[in-house]
Amino acid sequence: MGYSVIIPAAGVGKRMKHHRNKLFIELQGQSILERTLNIFETHPLCDEIIIAVNKQDVQDIEQLRAQYTKIKRLVEGGVERQHSIYHALKHIENDIVMVHDAARPFVVHEQINMLYQSVVEGQHAVLGVRAKDTIKMVDEHKIIKSTLDRNSIYHIQTPQAFTKKVLTKAYDDAFSKGILGTDDASLVEQSGIAVAIVEGTDTNIKITTPIDIQLGELILQNMVKRNER
Ligand code: CTP
Ligand code: MG
């Protein structure tokens, strides 16, 4: 048994301030989107890839499709990430589904394996890293109200892995109640189902602002060095 992966790629990359979707920016000669797709194309347990795409990007992504055997379908992106994923979710064929941001091209197979194993054992799971900075709650005037316990704060990444049944129900419920979450786990949490964190790494960044391109180049250089050893 393998898994299906939904890759939301239908953003516009506003914060990147690039002239088009940031996912077409190249890092060492290959676009962010291609790098992300490569990870799943070469992951043995991945059976199918479904990508949510913008109308203006369809042509370019269709062209990329020839390089990949696992891309089953392109679906139309929605207004928000949540809508994009909902469109894709309807077409998933596997009982286990992962959602992974196209904008995170540095996730590694070992991390995906841990998530997969967790779901197989009955535990929905997402990648996350423990907070390094002190985290404070503030009011509307930015006056600090409290200092949170850093040890129980995690920065959440993707992939996020669930059974199709649970994720579909969580999405159906969210849309019927008008709930908009910033990730997939938050919708599953709302339906009262436990989601665990699998310890990730700082290198699994989401390429969001221009500095992330430079960081990405650095991460890539380090990954290449490690593989050469
Ligand atoms: N995404 C999507 N559909 C949307 C919005 C985002 O499929 N309506 C995707 C993006 O393409 C990205 C992932 O969700 O791979 C995470 O989103 P984010 O990093 O916020 O990308 P953008 O929304 O493109 O960037 P910004 O918020 O700066 O505009
Ligand atoms: Mg966004």
PDB file of all heavy atoms in Angstrom, residues 30-43:
ATOM      1  N   GLN A  30      17.046  24.372 -11.749  1.00  0.00           N
ATOM      2  CA  GLN A  30      15.785  23.637 -11.774  1.00  0.00           C
ATOM      3  C   GLN A  30      14.742  24.376 -10.934  1.00  0.00           C
ATOM      4  O   GLN A  30      15.067  24.857  -9.838  1.00  0.00           O
ATOM      5  CB  GLN A  30      16.017  22.238 -11.217  1.00  0.00           C
ATOM      6  CG  GLN A  30      14.982  21.242 -11.666  1.00  0.00           C
ATOM      7  CD  GLN A  30      15.392  19.815 -11.319  1.00  0.00           C
ATOM      8  OE1 GLN A  30      16.015  19.593 -10.286  1.00  0.00           O
ATOM      9  NE2 GLN A  30      15.034  18.871 -12.164  1.00  0.00           N
ATOM     10  N   SER A  31      13.523  24.443 -11.454  1.00  0.00           N
ATOM     11  CA  SER A  31      12.512  25.242 -10.757  1.00  0.00           C
ATOM     12  C   SER A  31      12.132  24.615  -9.417  1.00  0.00           C
ATOM     13  O   SER A  31      12.272  23.402  -9.213  1.00  0.00           O
ATOM     14  CB  SER A  31      11.267  25.406 -11.631  1.00  0.00           C
ATOM     15  OG  SER A  31      10.561  24.189 -11.718  1.00  0.00           O
ATOM     16  N   ILE A  32      11.602  25.460  -8.539  1.00  0.00           N
ATOM     17  CA  ILE A  32      11.145  25.004  -7.220  1.00  0.00           C
ATOM     18  C   ILE A  32      10.108  23.898  -7.409  1.00  0.00           C
ATOM     19  O   ILE A  32      10.161  22.858  -6.757  1.00  0.00           O
ATOM     20  CB  ILE A  32      10.546  26.188  -6.428  1.00  0.00           C
ATOM     21  CG1 ILE A  32      11.634  27.225  -6.136  1.00  0.00           C
ATOM     22  CG2 ILE A  32       9.855  25.729  -5.153  1.00  0.00           C
ATOM     23  CD1 ILE A  32      11.108  28.577  -5.653  1.00  0.00           C
ATOM     24  N   LEU A  33       9.177  24.110  -8.336  1.00  0.00           N
ATOM     25  CA  LEU A  33       8.118  23.125  -8.571  1.00  0.00           C
ATOM     26  C   LEU A  33       8.692  21.784  -9.034  1.00  0.00           C
ATOM     27  O   LEU A  33       8.310  20.721  -8.527  1.00  0.00           O
ATOM     28  CB  LEU A  33       7.118  23.655  -9.605  1.00  0.00           C
ATOM     29  CG  LEU A  33       5.979  22.693  -9.950  1.00  0.00           C
ATOM     30  CD1 LEU A  33       5.151  22.345  -8.722  1.00  0.00           C
ATOM     31  CD2 LEU A  33       5.085  23.285 -11.038  1.00  0.00           C
ATOM     32  N   GLU A  34       9.628  21.820  -9.979  1.00  0.00           N
ATOM     33  CA  GLU A  34      10.235  20.567 -10.452  1.00  0.00           C
ATOM     34  C   GLU A  34      10.947  19.837  -9.317  1.00  0.00           C
ATOM     35  O   GLU A  34      10.863  18.613  -9.202  1.00  0.00           O
ATOM     36  CB  GLU A  34      11.252  20.848 -11.560  1.00  0.00           C
ATOM     37  CG  GLU A  34      10.628  21.167 -12.898  1.00  0.00           C
ATOM     38  CD  GLU A  34      11.683  21.638 -13.877  1.00  0.00           C
ATOM     39  OE1 GLU A  34      12.123  22.811 -13.748  1.00  0.00           O
ATOM     40  OE2 GLU A  34      12.087  20.856 -14.743  1.00  0.00           O
ATOM     41  N   ARG A  35      11.648  20.602  -8.489  1.00  0.00           N
ATOM     42  CA  ARG A  35      12.378  19.981  -7.371  1.00  0.00           C
ATOM     43  C   ARG A  35      11.413  19.272  -6.428  1.00  0.00           C
ATOM     44  O   ARG A  35      11.670  18.167  -5.973  1.00  0.00           O
ATOM     45  CB  ARG A  35      13.205  21.032  -6.614  1.00  0.00           C
ATOM     46  CG  ARG A  35      14.389  21.500  -7.418  1.00  0.00           C
ATOM     47  CD  ARG A  35      15.334  22.377  -6.633  1.00  0.00           C
ATOM     48  NE  ARG A  35      16.509  22.657  -7.447  1.00  0.00           N
ATOM     49  CZ  ARG A  35      17.536  21.830  -7.581  1.00  0.00           C
ATOM     50  NH1 ARG A  35      17.565  20.693  -6.918  1.00  0.00           N
ATOM     51  NH2 ARG A  35      18.549  22.150  -8.376  1.00  0.00           N
ATOM     52  N   THR A  36      10.287  19.923  -6.148  1.00  0.00           N
ATOM     53  CA  THR A  36       9.299  19.306  -5.260  1.00  0.00           C
ATOM     54  C   THR A  36       8.716  18.044  -5.911  1.00  0.00           C
ATOM     55  O   THR A  36       8.591  17.000  -5.267  1.00  0.00           O
ATOM     56  CB  THR A  36       8.180  20.315  -4.926  1.00  0.00           C
ATOM     57  OG1 THR A  36       8.797  21.452  -4.319  1.00  0.00           O
ATOM     58  CG2 THR A  36       7.135  19.730  -3.989  1.00  0.00           C
ATOM     59  N   LEU A  37       8.383  18.146  -7.188  1.00  0.00           N
ATOM     60  CA  LEU A  37       7.819  16.984  -7.892  1.00  0.00           C
ATOM     61  C   LEU A  37       8.807  15.821  -7.931  1.00  0.00           C
ATOM     62  O   LEU A  37       8.418  14.662  -7.756  1.00  0.00           O
ATOM     63  CB  LEU A  37       7.409  17.381  -9.314  1.00  0.00           C
ATOM     64  CG  LEU A  37       6.189  18.310  -9.413  1.00  0.00           C
ATOM     65  CD1 LEU A  37       6.010  18.810 -10.851  1.00  0.00           C
ATOM     66  CD2 LEU A  37       4.917  17.594  -8.941  1.00  0.00           C
ATOM     67  N   ASN A  38      10.094  16.131  -8.119  1.00  0.00           N
ATOM     68  CA  ASN A  38      11.124  15.077  -8.167  1.00  0.00           C
ATOM     69  C   ASN A  38      11.131  14.230  -6.905  1.00  0.00           C
ATOM     70  O   ASN A  38      11.322  13.017  -6.955  1.00  0.00           O
ATOM     71  CB  ASN A  38      12.532  15.682  -8.301  1.00  0.00           C
ATOM     72  CG  ASN A  38      12.759  16.301  -9.661  1.00  0.00           C
ATOM     73  OD1 ASN A  38      12.034  16.016 -10.606  1.00  0.00           O
ATOM     74  ND2 ASN A  38      13.759  17.173  -9.758  1.00  0.00           N
ATOM     75  N   ILE A  39      10.934  14.902  -5.772  1.00  0.00           N
ATOM     76  CA  ILE A  39      11.001  14.211  -4.483  1.00  0.00           C
ATOM     77  C   ILE A  39       9.949  13.103  -4.420  1.00  0.00           C
ATOM     78  O   ILE A  39      10.222  11.990  -3.985  1.00  0.00           O
ATOM     79  CB  ILE A  39      10.810  15.216  -3.317  1.00  0.00           C
ATOM     80  CG1 ILE A  39      11.967  16.213  -3.297  1.00  0.00           C
ATOM     81  CG2 ILE A  39      10.683  14.485  -1.973  1.00  0.00           C
ATOM     82  CD1 ILE A  39      11.706  17.454  -2.445  1.00  0.00           C
ATOM     83  N   PHE A  40       8.746  13.416  -4.897  1.00  0.00           N
ATOM     84  CA  PHE A  40       7.664  12.429  -4.822  1.00  0.00           C
ATOM     85  C   PHE A  40       7.732  11.430  -5.987  1.00  0.00           C
ATOM     86  O   PHE A  40       7.430  10.254  -5.824  1.00  0.00           O
ATOM     87  CB  PHE A  40       6.303  13.132  -4.740  1.00  0.00           C
ATOM     88  CG  PHE A  40       6.134  13.798  -3.395  1.00  0.00           C
ATOM     89  CD1 PHE A  40       6.454  15.135  -3.219  1.00  0.00           C
ATOM     90  CD2 PHE A  40       5.723  13.059  -2.294  1.00  0.00           C
ATOM     91  CE1 PHE A  40       6.360  15.739  -1.969  1.00  0.00           C
ATOM     92  CE2 PHE A  40       5.621  13.647  -1.044  1.00  0.00           C
ATOM     93  CZ  PHE A  40       5.940  14.990  -0.870  1.00  0.00           C
ATOM     94  N   GLU A  41       8.147  11.908  -7.142  1.00  0.00           N
ATOM     95  CA  GLU A  41       8.303  11.013  -8.298  1.00  0.00           C
ATOM     96  C   GLU A  41       9.271   9.876  -7.952  1.00  0.00           C
ATOM     97  O   GLU A  41       9.073   8.739  -8.357  1.00  0.00           O
ATOM     98  CB  GLU A  41       8.814  11.830  -9.499  1.00  0.00           C
ATOM     99  CG  GLU A  41       9.119  11.028 -10.750  1.00  0.00           C
ATOM    100  CD  GLU A  41       7.876  10.535 -11.501  1.00  0.00           C
ATOM    101  OE1 GLU A  41       6.773  11.065 -11.251  1.00  0.00           O
ATOM    102  OE2 GLU A  41       8.029   9.613 -12.332  1.00  0.00           O
ATOM    103  N   THR A  42      10.317  10.215  -7.181  1.00  0.00           N
ATOM    104  CA  THR A  42      11.345   9.209  -6.870  1.00  0.00           C
ATOM    105  C   THR A  42      11.092   8.505  -5.530  1.00  0.00           C
ATOM    106  O   THR A  42      11.888   7.664  -5.125  1.00  0.00           O
ATOM    107  CB  THR A  42      12.746   9.847  -6.828  1.00  0.00           C
ATOM    108  OG1 THR A  42      12.743  10.894  -5.842  1.00  0.00           O
ATOM    109  CG2 THR A  42      13.147  10.418  -8.184  1.00  0.00           C
ATOM    110  N   HIS A  43      10.020   8.844  -4.855  1.00  0.00           N
ATOM    111  CA  HIS A  43       9.746   8.173  -3.578  1.00  0.00           C
ATOM    112  C   HIS A  43       8.945   6.907  -3.845  1.00  0.00           C
ATOM    113  O   HIS A  43       7.817   6.971  -4.338  1.00  0.00           O
ATOM    114  CB  HIS A  43       8.990   9.102  -2.613  1.00  0.00           C
ATOM    115  CG  HIS A  43       8.883   8.535  -1.246  1.00  0.00           C
ATOM    116  ND1 HIS A  43       7.686   8.278  -0.628  1.00  0.00           N
ATOM    117  CD2 HIS A  43       9.850   8.123  -0.385  1.00  0.00           C
ATOM    118  CE1 HIS A  43       7.930   7.745   0.567  1.00  0.00           C
ATOM    119  NE2 HIS A  43       9.217   7.646   0.733  1.00  0.00           N
TER     120      HIS A  43
END
